[in-house]
Each structure stands twice: as C-alpha cells, then as structure tokens.
Amino acid sequence: MVPKWRVGIVKDRSKPMLGLHGHHVAFRGLPGVEIAALADSNADGIDDLIALTGAKKHYRTFEEMLDNEKLDIVVLCSRHPGDHFQQIRHAAERGVHVYTEKPMTVSLAEADKIVALVERYGIKLLVAHFARYDLGFRTMKKIVEAGEIGRPLTAYGKGKCDHRGGGEDLAVLGVHILDILIFIFGEPTAVRAEVLTNGIPIVATDRTATIEPVGPTAGDDIFATFRFPGGVRGIFESRQGLLAESGGSVHMGVTVQGTKGSVTLRFCDGVPEDELRISRTPGPVEDHASYETVPLIEDRVIPRAYPLDFSLCGHTDICSARWILEANRFAAWDLLQAIEGGSKPISNERTARLALEMIYGIYASHLSDGAIRFPLLDRANPLGG
C-alpha cells in the first residue's frame, strides 16, 4: 500500500533539554503514514532512534531533509521555542504541514508572523497543547457545557509550582493551563495580575534566571484573574517551591466551580495519573465537598490504526503517563483530518498565540497596576528584550 502521508521528524539530541513529550512517536501506527526521515545532528545511537521512530532515512540537518524528501508533515520536537519560527517558515515555504512542540514561540510579534505564514502558504499547523486531546480534559469540558455543575463561576488553574515557580513555570507549564482555560471557556476579554519576587512587586527590568531559553521572565509568585465570556473568572497561580513544600503533591491542573458543584483534574506527566473527579455539592468547594470519580468513555475511533504501544511510556523522552502518549496520537490524527478536510486543528497557531497573549497580559497588568483588555494592542513584550 502506497503511504498517503510522508512524515519527517526533527529531533536534535545535540541540544540539552529537560525532556520531551514523545512527539517523535506520535504518528507511529497511524493508517497511511510513513515516517520518511529523521533529522538529528547527533549520530550517536542513531540506529536506536531510527528503530524507535520507524524512520526510513537519517539526515544531519532539517534543511537537508527538506531538500531531499518530499514530505507532507514535519514534527518539530524541540522544546526550545526559539527554534520553531525558522523551522516553521522553511516548512511553510515548501507547503509542508507542521506539528510542533509548545511553546510555539515566546515572542508575540513572532507568533503574529507564524499566523501570517500559515495563511499565506495554506498549511496546517498543530501546536502540541496535548491536554486538548486528553479524554479527561475533554470530558471536563463536556461536563461544564452540559451544565452538570450548574453555571460555571470560577476556574482555578495552577502551574507546577516547582523550582521554576513564577515566571519560568508560567512560560513552560502555565501555558498548558491557560490553553485549557481557552479550550473550555473561549477567549478571555481581560486580565488583572500581580507578580512578586520575594514578596516584592517586580519592575519591568527584573529578571528570573531560567533553566531553559524561554525569553525574559520575572517573579517567583504569580497570581492572575482572567475574565471569560458568560461571567466566568479564570485564575492562574504559580508559587516557587510549593511542590516540595507540600510533599510532592501535584498542584498543576484545573478545578472548575459552578453553582451546583465542581469538577477537577490534575495535570500529571508521570505515574500515578490523576482521575477526573466531580463534586455535586453546591456552594464553596471548601465546604463539605465530596468528590467522586468520573468514568471516562472513549468515543473516538481511528480506523485501521495499530494499537498504542504503552510499553513506550517512560522510554527516554517519552512521558511515563499513558494519557500523554494517547493524547499525542489523537493530536497527530487531528492534524491529518484537518489537512484532509480543510479545517483547523483543535490546537492551532491562533489558540497558541492567544495563550502567549495571556502571558503578556499578566505582566502588562502587573506593571500598569490595572486591568488589561484583549486583544493586546501593544505586541511588544512588557518585560522588554
């Protein structure tokens, strides 16, 4: 059978990273897909990586792979957002669709350029905010929309709150939480925020040293309140060291409180994985709330796909959590369906740009000591540089 989709993977192991999310195996086992090539400047152990991905050829550079292979899709695995723009541009100019790791970029001006590139060249771009494809968060969205917790009032979102808590947590992990809020409630209209370092409000020239190159960040304590359609308030919070202080309890996740109850799910990238839980107790979540597990019923089918190989979980650069491996597969399938049907992927360049705009809005609100409305008229980073 002649493959319908030829996929190229860009995974440069010469660049140190904190770990990847398994995007290099997202297209494995999907019908009509051939992993045509892999680009990696590091040839050490390349045979193992080729066997893992199923790639037919190896190239040292992304450009060499693009020049020598007729690809339909490229997968950009780098978690360094500064790598993405040029890679997306090179792919778009050749009419090649893109599946990219998040953050798509940390520059709002660059995000605007990516949106323009996608429109100009008519490609599809999927950004790996994989929680949109997770059965748990998808079920949470359905519960809220069906009115099972009444009228939604407030969504409480937290970052990982580890040693990166504050600015780096917001850029690297908080972007997932902000994207989930967009996914469930739509586009925010305004934000008010406070950003502190050691209890002192930051100024525009303050900087937090980061582990990864995620652009200028500041603060070790962030609290932001977003206004969403329908009177919903969305809260994002990240405090440095809270994870260790609470004995390793997972803080990252979302809880939605409504007039008749609340629904909650932690964003776990390891094991044990968390369950989606619902409380049908009206009133404040801190008063007598009793949660029960919500059964997750998978109603999505990928015809002729091979069963997922969950033995990959915990492999180098593949998360231990099964839900992430599964969500990545459905994201890859969504991209294929979007290309074929002419629609946008569920997670795309515009939703990714909006999540970044929310991050800019947090800093802009704090520095102006007032509410900031969306869309932002000033596209420059409030922290500068």
Side-chain angles (χ1 to χ4, degrees):
M1 177 179 171
V2 178
K4 188 173 184 179
W5 313 102
R6 303 188 80 246
V7 176
I9 298 168
V10 186
K11 188 180 187 303
D12 192 346
R13 292 171 300 140
S14 68
K15 293 186 175 184
M17 298 186 193
L18 288 183
L20 300 175
H21 295 108
H23 304 312
H24 53 298
V25 296
F27 286 85
R28 271 185 42 150
L30 290 181
V33 168
E34 176 187 62
I35 308 301
L38 166 73
D40 184 354
S41 67
N42 183 1
D44 293 341
I46 195 64
D47 290 342
D48 291 338
L49 185 57
I50 286 174
L52 178 66
T53 60
K56 305 297 183 186
K57 293 183 182 178
H58 168 235
Y59 294 92
R60 290 281 189 157
T61 69
F62 176 45
E63 292 77 13
E64 184 185 8
M65 181 175 71
L66 281 180
D67 289 341
N68 287 277
E69 299 288 338
K70 186 171 177 54
L71 299 174
D72 298 295
I73 298 165
V74 292
V75 181
L76 308 179
C77 294
S78 173
R79 63 184 284 157
H80 294 175
D83 291 342
H84 297 158
F85 176 71
Q86 292 299 337
Q87 293 174 337
I88 292 170
R89 182 175 66 81
H90 288 321
E93 289 172 347
R94 291 167 172 80
V96 178
H97 308 285
V98 178
Y99 182 115
T100 184
E101 170 67 290
K102 62 82 208 168
M104 179 177 75
T105 174
V106 291
S107 163
L108 192 52
E110 200 168 78
D112 289 337
K113 292 178 182 177
I114 291 172
V115 170
L117 280 170
V118 169
E119 293 177 354
R120 178 180 177 185
Y121 292 101
I123 67 163
K124 304 298 179 183
L125 190 153
L126 188 143
V127 181
H129 287 139
F130 44 77
R132 286 179 176 247
Y133 300 94
D134 169 53
L135 187 56
F137 284 110
R138 288 172 63 86
T139 304
M140 174 185 279
K141 177 179 169 69
K142 290 179 181 178
I143 286 172
V144 172
E145 292 176 343
E148 288 192 46
I149 60 169
R151 179 168 60 89
L153 302 172
T154 308
Y156 302 91
K158 286 186 177 180
K160 205 160 194 176
C161 298
D162 58 6
H163 53 286
R164 297 165 292 181
E168 186 168 10
D169 191 16
L170 173 62
V172 177
L173 298 160
V175 69
H176 277 302
I177 302 303
L178 299 179
D179 183 68
I180 292 170
L181 297 182
I182 297 167
F183 179 54
I184 297 175
F185 300 110
E187 298 186 10
T189 58
V191 60
R192 280 184 177 271
E194 181 180 56
V195 184
L196 310 174
T197 298
N198 295 323
I200 300 172
I202 68 159
V203 296
T205 53
D206 284 346
R207 292 291 181 273
T208 299
T210 60
I211 299 169
E212 296 185 281
V214 292
T217 65
D220 58 20
D221 182 346
I222 293 175
F223 189 89
T225 303
F226 293 90
R227 188 185 308 145
F228 285 93
V232 175
R233 294 287 192 274
I235 291 171
F236 175 80
E237 182 175 18
S238 175
R239 297 182 185 230
Q240 190 176 87
L242 190 58
L243 179 67
E245 190 176 336
S246 58
S249 296
V250 178
H251 290 266
M252 187 176 176
V254 173
T255 298
V256 182
Q257 180 188 359
T259 55
K260 296 181 180 179
S262 57
V263 61
T264 186
L265 180 60
R266 298 301 93 196
F267 191 110
C268 298
D269 58 2
V271 290
E273 299 175 32
D274 198 38
E275 297 177 318
L276 177 66
R277 290 166 290 138
I278 189 170
S279 170
R280 303 183 189 278
T281 306
V285 294
E286 63 269 23
D287 288 353
H288 314 296
S290 177
Y291 285 92
E292 60 187 82
T293 299
V294 178
L296 302 180
I297 301 172
E298 181 60 81
D299 57 358
R300 297 168 294 176
V301 176
I302 303 177
R304 302 184 309 281
Y306 286 97
L308 261 177
D309 182 2
F310 288 110
S311 70
L312 295 173
C313 293
H315 192 282
T316 302
D317 287 335
I318 301 175
C319 293
S320 298
R322 291 164 61 104
W323 75 267
I324 294 179
L325 190 73
E326 189 173 66
N328 277 330
R329 166 173 274 200
F330 279 110
W333 179 246
D334 181 39
L335 179 58
L336 297 180
Q337 296 301 104
I339 296 168
E340 199 161 56
S343 59
K344 276 196 176 297
I346 293 169
S347 177
N348 56 68
E349 71 284 352
R350 289 183 175 273
T351 59
R353 178 176 65 175
L354 182 54
L356 176 59
E357 201 166 349
M358 291 170 74
I359 292 174
Y360 272 41
I362 287 173
Y363 288 117
S365 171
H366 168 84
L367 293 172
S368 67
D369 196 24
I372 295 295
R373 296 186 178 278
F374 299 108
L376 301 181
L377 298 179
D378 186 352
R379 313 300 277 181
N381 193 320
L383 296 178

